[in-house]
Amino acid sequence: MQVPQLSILINDQFTLGNVDDMNLATLFYVYDPMCSWCWGYKPTWTFLEEQLKQQFPQLSIEYRLGGLAADTDEPMPEEMEEFLQQTWQQVSQQLGTEFNFDFWAKCQPRRATYPACRGVLLARDKGLEQQFYQAVQQAYYLEAKNPSDDDTLISIATELGMDSSAFACALNSEDTQQRLQQEINQTRRLPIQGFPSLVMALNGDLILIELDYKNAQTSFKQIESLMQEVVLDA
């Protein structure tokens, strides 16, 4: 079942030369750590990723941040709160995903996902991107904690064994903000339709992979077919 995704602006043609460590075949998983559809897709993506690693060890899998919402200190508007709560309910009803709706009573929500994205970048530097990403989702959707708050992100970093002082200093630094903006700019030049998205770079081409939230085989079969080109061209 294909669930409608959040539409975002796509810029000019993505330049392959902007992607670090580009291999012959690379699959990009495009996400935001506070995207509820990414949370709903998590079981299917985890299964698909393991399948691909086992079947195609020559395929490089890269995580790329898209960035949903820039920094703000303003409380989330009531209309946005209602929209996001309805989205959580939609994801839960269609995919069976668990959500802790206490978040909306316990926290002061802000429409800001960039802080969590910057935390992901710092965790990536330590080889902990996926662990940090999963911890943000756990805190946000199950523990009713707010990943828009620095304290929540610092706590996650500490639990993962990162230096809390160094993390706190770097989280909102100009360098980290510039790195995030550069990644967002590059990611939005991929032929994506929203978050999450899968894009395969193959022999200089960028191919949008069909994504099914309930069935990993939809994406797997398309990627399997494309990977035959790698074998044939080897």
Side-chain angles (χ1 to χ4, degrees):
M1 177 178 63
Q2 185 73 24
V3 179
Q5 298 177 335
L6 176 65
S7 176
I8 66 173
L9 177 65
I10 306 301
N11 295 325
D12 297 333
Q13 178 67 32
F14 188 82
T15 303
L16 289 176
N18 287 339
V19 182
D20 296 331
D21 302 322
M22 175 62 68
N23 291 337
L24 180 64
T26 302
L27 180 68
F28 295 104
Y29 171 68
V30 181
Y31 73 103
D32 185 288
M34 294 177 66
C35 163
S36 52
W37 286 113
C38 295
W39 173 236
Y41 183 55
K42 181 178 183 294
T44 301
W45 166 241
T46 300
F47 181 77
L48 173 62
E49 186 177 26
E50 286 304 313
Q51 265 194 312
L52 293 173
K53 287 179 178 179
Q54 293 175 15
Q55 189 73 22
F56 306 111
Q58 71 274 39
L59 175 66
S60 175
I61 299 176
E62 302 285 347
Y63 282 58
R64 287 292 182 269
L65 293 160
L68 273 174
D71 296 328
T72 181
D73 292 326
E74 296 296 321
M76 187 179 294
E78 183 177 346
E79 296 80 4
M80 179 60 70
E81 281 197 40
E82 292 177 356
F83 170 76
L84 290 178
Q85 289 188 57
Q86 290 171 3
T87 301
W88 287 21
Q89 291 170 352
Q90 183 182 5
V91 176
S92 178
Q93 291 169 2
Q94 296 194 32
L95 304 179
T97 308
E98 182 180 357
F99 289 89
N100 183 351
F101 284 85
D102 288 346
F103 170 84
W104 300 101
K106 291 183 175 180
C107 298
Q108 175 60 73
R110 305 194 315 279
R111 185 58 173 160
T113 72
Y114 280 23
C117 290
R118 289 195 296 273
V120 165
L121 283 181
L122 297 176
R124 182 187 294 171
D125 293 340
K126 304 296 183 181
L128 296 170
E129 177 173 7
Q130 295 181 46
Q131 294 92 323
F132 193 94
Y133 170 29
Q134 292 169 10
V136 167
Q137 291 180 320
Q138 177 85 14
Y140 187 27
Y141 296 115
L142 299 181
E143 299 172 2
K145 298 177 181 178
N146 193 350
S148 298
D149 295 338
D150 289 358
D151 288 347
T152 300
L153 301 173
I154 293 168
S155 176
I156 290 173
T158 303
E159 291 173 1
L160 291 177
M162 300 174 66
D163 185 312
S164 59
S165 296
F167 180 91
C169 289
L171 183 60
N172 297 303
S173 70
E174 183 177 351
D175 177 67
T176 306
Q177 293 187 47
Q178 289 178 350
R179 286 179 58 196
L180 175 60
Q181 193 58 58
Q182 181 181 28
E183 178 152 324
I184 289 172
N185 290 343
Q186 292 180 356
T187 300
R188 291 187 178 184
R189 292 184 175 93
L190 290 167
I192 59 178
Q193 295 181 337
F195 308 137
S197 279
L198 297 173
V199 176
M200 190 163 175
L202 180 65
N203 299 328
D205 294 325
L206 290 165
I207 304 123
L208 181 65
I209 301 299
E210 184 179 357
L211 188 150
D212 188 319
Y213 283 80
K214 285 189 172 182
N215 185 3
Q217 294 308 304
T218 300
S219 298
F220 182 84
K221 289 178 180 178
Q222 183 180 358
I223 295 168
E224 181 180 41
S225 177
L226 290 168
M227 286 302 294
Q228 292 178 1
E229 298 181 25
V230 177
V231 175
L232 291 173
D233 292 343

